[in-house]
Amino acid sequence: MEGDKKYITGEDLKQHNKEGDLWISIQGKVYNVSDWAHEHPGGDVALLNLAGQDVTDAFIAYHPGTAWQYLDKFFTGFYLKDFKVSETSKDYRRLASEFAKLGLFEKKGHITMYALASIALMFCVVLYGVLCCKSVWAHLGSAVVLGFLWIQSAYIGHDSGHYQVMKSRGYNKLAQFLAGNSLTGISIAWWKWTHNAHHLACNSLDYDPDLQHIPVFAVNSTFFNSIKSCFYGRHLDFDPVARFFVSYQHWTFYPVMCVARVNLYVQTFLLLFSKRKFPDRALNIVGILIFWTWFPLLVSCLPNWPERVMFVLASFTVTAIQHVQFCLNHFAADVYTGPPKGNDWFEKQTGGTLDISCSSWMDWFYGGLQFQLEHHLFPRMPRCQLRRVSPLVQDLCKKHNLSYRSLSFWEANVWTIRRLRNVAQQARDLSNPVPKNMLWEAVNTHG
């Protein structure tokens, strides 16, 4: 004790880093969120990943100013004795405060209205093309339009998951329900569960689910050691099958992206019908049932099976544009192992992201996520403000000698394929101690 305050050290805080005994520090004040973790709107994974350390930067990034008033009920009475703030964090917090004073987190523009209107229009075009036209080209065009509809719907779901895009929380949840579950068939609950973990542990090989694609892809040779996924709670086995797929991943990347949507459907069902607790399970299931009602019915209206297969594959292939974009933002960036650290929040976000440079008239196409670093640093900021704050983020990176990488769409593809190829070549090395597979060795030894 010093005066009227009680202190604990950072080492003491680290001992409270597990479920049922979960403490965190925010601006040097220590809070016990053990019993509340499952009620956390962002999920318990976010708290567990940063448990036992100071989380001020992450708290500022994800919470509006009104959230501070709810902290007192979790205060332990302790303060962090060796609490220090890096110069980078000071500048980051100062920048976040300035943006808040300017109202940038509240000025959402009319993006959501335009996006919803375009989605409604595209849906009408799809219905007309399938139900009222007999031409195979009209049906193919409708599939393409449906693919773009899914892309824009995903952006609405993404925006509404990060901040309130509508006037009330109820309407915001309705937007998630319609744009996510009902139109795309992908559960917003699944998205929140994985996406929050991705943001907090950006490009951590064992904590970020967005990098854990064994047996199909590996962005780093660390996966050859069959590391344990701390997100899924299981080992990512690098067996002969995984080795075979990874050895050719730079060739299979784009074809896999064309059917990547199937994996999202599977992941949605695995979560919705699992024992894991998450909010609005019934609402999510209803939304998914709506999708799996209208989509098969729409496909069944096509005149024959070849056209039905063409329609599904074409619509899925269009969405590959978005799947590829998500990979470009992270696959070729820096990676690390272990849980995220609260004291290098800014550094980890800059290291784990790549921006895609484009003209302002293309912002609708990328959904604002071409400013990936800006989005990761300020996830509550509406996408229409990200281009405005980008120069300030660049200046801050330059001041602290941190990387700010902004590539053209073509360059980002080159970087990603190069990374995948380099890892593939390592996987092909027969000297690596991976369980023997005679067929694999025969093919790769003798061509």
Side-chain angles (χ1 to χ4, degrees):
M1 294 187 63
E2 294 182 11
D4 295 330
K5 291 185 177 182
K6 296 185 296 183
Y7 289 89
I8 63 172
T9 65
E11 288 300 317
D12 295 328
L13 183 61
K14 287 180 182 178
Q15 306 306 312
H16 304 276
N17 64 348
K18 54 187 176 294
E19 189 173 1
D21 183 18
L22 204 167
W23 291 18
I24 57 174
S25 166
I26 299 175
Q27 289 195 337
K29 296 179 71 174
V30 179
Y31 301 94
N32 182 353
V33 294
S34 305
D35 298 331
W36 181 77
H38 291 294
E39 300 177 32
H40 182 229
D44 59 342
V45 173
L47 293 172
L48 288 168
N49 281 355
L50 290 169
Q53 54 184 312
D54 186 81
V55 300
T56 305
D57 287 346
F59 184 84
I60 290 173
Y62 280 99
H63 300 83
T66 54
W68 291 89
Q69 62 184 308
Y70 299 106
L71 291 176
D72 286 343
K73 62 182 178 181
F74 305 114
F75 183 44
T76 62
F78 291 105
Y79 293 83
L80 202 57
K81 186 173 184 179
D82 45 1
F83 173 65
K84 295 180 180 179
V85 183
S86 69
E87 293 302 316
T88 306
S89 287
K90 288 179 181 177
D91 285 343
Y92 168 65
R93 297 173 191 180
R94 189 179 300 116
L95 197 60
S97 177
E98 290 176 2
F99 291 162
K101 291 177 181 177
L102 291 171
L104 298 187
F105 295 104
E106 309 301 326
K107 297 177 181 178
K108 303 177 178 66
H110 301 291
I111 296 295
T112 302
M113 181 183 69
Y114 295 149
L116 290 175
S118 68
I119 289 170
L121 177 62
M122 285 189 284
F123 195 64
C124 291
V125 170
V126 171
L127 292 178
Y128 180 81
V130 172
L131 301 178
C132 302
C133 298
K134 296 182 179 180
S135 168
V136 64
W137 293 108
H139 296 160
L140 179 60
S142 298
V144 172
V145 173
L146 180 59
F148 281 109
L149 181 155
W150 282 338
I151 290 176
Q152 292 302 316
S153 293
Y155 289 144
I156 289 293
H158 177 268
D159 290 349
S160 62
H162 274 296
Y163 57 91
Q164 190 169 300
V165 299
M166 309 298 280
K167 289 186 176 181
S168 68
R169 293 183 64 181
Y171 284 122
N172 198 68
K173 183 175 289 188
L174 179 63
Q176 295 176 352
F177 175 77
L178 293 176
N181 298 45
S182 302
L183 278 179
T184 68
I186 301 169
S187 168
I188 191 67
W190 172 83
W191 177 86
K192 285 183 177 180
W193 178 48
T194 59
H195 197 67
N196 287 340
H198 159 68
H199 265 267
L200 286 169
C202 180
N203 272 33
S204 168
L205 296 177
D206 45 347
Y207 279 81
D208 184 355
D210 282 11
L211 291 188
Q212 297 172 0
H213 302 296
I214 295 294
V216 183
F217 298 130
V219 298
N220 190 275
S221 59
T222 302
F223 284 114
F224 299 173
N225 300 320
S226 297
I227 64 174
K228 181 179 180 180
S229 166
C230 294
F231 179 79
Y232 293 110
R234 59 178 173 80
H235 283 87
L236 305 172
D237 294 327
F238 190 73
D239 53 21
V241 173
R243 181 175 184 173
F244 177 81
F245 282 124
V246 171
S247 295
Y248 300 98
Q249 62 182 0
H250 52 305
W251 294 107
T252 62
F253 176 68
Y254 294 111
V256 168
M257 290 298 104
C258 291
V259 292
R261 198 165 196 83
V262 176
N263 177 57
L264 303 185
Y265 295 147
V266 172
Q267 295 299 323
T268 287
F269 277 102
L270 290 176
L271 176 64
L272 293 185
F273 297 100
S274 70
K275 295 181 180 179
R276 181 176 180 81
K277 294 181 180 180
F278 58 88
D280 302 319
R281 181 188 297 269
L283 185 63
N284 275 270
I285 291 176
V286 169
I288 296 303
L289 290 177
I290 291 175
F291 172 80
W292 287 109
T293 299
W294 74 260
F295 182 55
L297 282 175
L298 182 69
V299 174
S300 69
C301 293
L302 293 166
N304 52 61
W305 277 106
E307 285 199 30
R308 291 167 188 166
V309 173
M310 174 201 71
F311 184 89
V312 172
L313 289 179
S315 59
F316 281 17
T317 300
V318 171
T319 63
I321 299 170
Q322 189 175 62
H323 299 308
V324 168
Q325 178 195 343
F326 293 158
C327 295
L328 301 184
N329 289 139
H330 296 286
F331 272 25
D334 303 337
V335 298
Y336 66 100
T337 56
K341 302 295 183 183
N343 60 359
D344 62 356
W345 168 263
F346 192 96
E347 292 87 342
K348 281 292 191 295
Q349 303 302 325
T350 58
T353 54
L354 292 175
D355 280 14
I356 308 296
S357 60
C358 69
S359 301
S360 58
W361 65 272
M362 283 292 288
D363 287 353
W364 68 273
F365 181 80
Y366 292 101
L369 297 182
Q370 74 274 26
F371 295 109
Q372 190 68 195
L373 174 56
E374 291 80 358
H375 169 62
H376 267 253
L377 293 174
F378 308 102
R380 293 188 302 106
M381 182 171 289
R383 64 167 110 159
C384 60
Q385 303 293 347
L386 294 176
R387 184 175 290 276
R388 177 179 177 181
V389 305
S390 179
L392 299 175
V393 172
Q394 294 180 47
D395 290 342
L396 190 54
C397 289
K398 184 176 181 180
K399 176 181 178 180
H400 295 283
N401 198 28
L402 297 170
S403 58
Y404 181 95
R405 292 160 292 198
S406 182
L407 309 174
S408 69
F409 188 76
W410 173 260
E411 290 172 328
N413 275 273
V414 170
W415 279 38
T416 299
I417 296 300
R418 183 187 299 131
R419 168 68 64 86
L420 293 175
R421 184 187 62 197
N422 290 341
V423 178
Q425 290 173 342
Q426 295 176 61
R428 291 184 187 184
D429 185 356
L430 294 180
S431 64
N432 282 339
V434 177
K436 300 295 183 181
N437 180 303
M438 296 188 67
L439 176 61
W440 189 94
E441 292 196 4
V443 170
N444 286 277
T445 302
H446 304 293

